[in-house]
């Protein structure tokens, strides 16, 4: 008898879509206020999820949603890192 495991869902902060965690990229703010892209999904700190699509990253940048979610100024290179992670996965 196969075991059906629950797939963890997360909400994209840019699009509002509920997607499986593996289809998302996490952006983390540490206690020190440093922002980084978390490819493993296990770094400690406050996290926000973005869909693995270039359109979602552009929407997040345009709407400034990561700044609002993480309560810290988001450096420009974070968006470049997100796009690099997405393109690497394709």
């Amino acid at each position: 008898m196969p075991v059906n495991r629950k797939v963890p869902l997360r909400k994209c902060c840019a699009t509002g879509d509920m997607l499986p965690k593996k289809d998302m990229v996490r952006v983390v703010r540490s206690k020190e206020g440093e922002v980084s892209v978390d490819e493993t999904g296990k770094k400690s700190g406050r996290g926000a999820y973005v869909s693995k699509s270039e359109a979602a990253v552009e929407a997040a940048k345009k709407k400034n949603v990561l700044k609002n979610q993480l309560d810290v100024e988001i450096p420009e290179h974070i968006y470049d890192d997100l796009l690099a992670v997405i393109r690497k996965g394709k």
Side-chain angles (χ1 to χ4, degrees):
M1 187 169 187
V3 177
N4 292 334
R5 295 191 183 229
K6 183 179 174 190
V7 177
L9 297 177
R10 298 292 182 262
K11 187 173 185 176
C12 175
C13 64
T15 63
D17 295 336
M18 292 293 286
L19 297 169
K21 188 177 174 181
K22 64 180 176 69
D23 294 339
M24 309 285 269
V25 181
R26 186 169 182 244
V27 180
V28 180
R29 182 200 68 205
S30 67
K31 286 185 178 180
E32 293 79 33
E34 298 172 13
V35 179
S36 62
V37 176
D38 180 11
E39 293 185 50
T40 63
K42 297 182 181 187
K43 284 186 181 177
S44 63
R46 174 90 172 128
Y49 289 88
V50 180
S51 302
K52 283 187 179 178
S53 73
E54 294 183 23
V57 174
E58 293 301 323
K61 185 176 182 179
K62 183 180 173 186
K63 296 178 190 175
N64 236 353
V65 291
L66 288 176
K67 178 184 176 194
N68 297 336
Q69 292 281 322
L70 300 177
D71 294 327
V72 69
E73 201 63 43
I74 306 298
E76 193 68 31
H77 72 86
I78 293 297
Y79 296 107
D80 296 334
D81 293 348
L82 278 171
L83 290 172
V85 168
I86 291 167
R87 290 177 182 141
K88 181 175 74 172
K90 288 185 178 179

